[in-house]
Amino acid sequence: MRFSLYSLLTIAALVTAAEAASVTVSDAWFRALPGKLPAAGYFSVTNAGRGPVALTGAQSPGCGMLMLHMTHNMGGMMQMMAVEQVEVPAGGHVAFAPGGYHLMCTEPAAALKPGANVPVTLRFSDGSQLNAIFAVRTATGR
Ligand SMILES: [Cu+2]
């Protein structure tokens, strides 16, 4: 009895690990601005799993704070707002791109300069985390 319960728990743990591995990140980069201006982070997140998963947060040693933001048009004025989470549908992807969702890196560290690579940890609603390398580019995206 005790042994079979242990087996079930082991299987549950393996399934959780497999689901975490079904989320991938690509085309990750930061747009660095001069001085201490916040840098925006862009990437594409793909969910190959069977259920939806939400991106709930991010952190990086290159940033004082790293927040989920969305740019939206309010009467012709582009404004940014913080968002709690961004859902990635099962079998789908969400693009964090200029004009839409982005990561907002406040108090960028000295290491966050064009040509550098900066690690970012993304947190998801299922408790999993994903480490991604963001390439730092200039204000023009180069
Ligand atoms: Cu922002």
Side-chain angles (χ1 to χ4, degrees), residues 38-40 67-71 80-81 100 102-105:
M67 295 173 287
L68 301 178
H69 267 194
M70 193 180 98
T71 303
M80 292 191 299
M81 58 187 284
H102 57 275
L103 295 178
M104 195 95 263
C105 170

Side-chain angles (χ1 to χ4, degrees), residues 11-57:
I11 290 166
L14 288 172
V15 167
T16 302
E19 282 175 356
S22 65
V23 177
T24 52
V25 164
S26 59
D27 303 323
W29 62 285
F30 275 118
R31 168 178 281 156
L33 297 178
K36 283 286 174 188
L37 287 170
Y42 304 114
F43 58 96
S44 183
V45 55
T46 300
N47 177 12
R50 293 209 186 118
V53 69
L55 178 61
T56 56

Side-chain angles (χ1 to χ4, degrees), residues 121-132:
T121 301
L122 301 171
R123 294 191 302 272
F124 294 91
S125 53
D126 63 356
S128 67
Q129 295 192 346
L130 190 63
N131 295 311

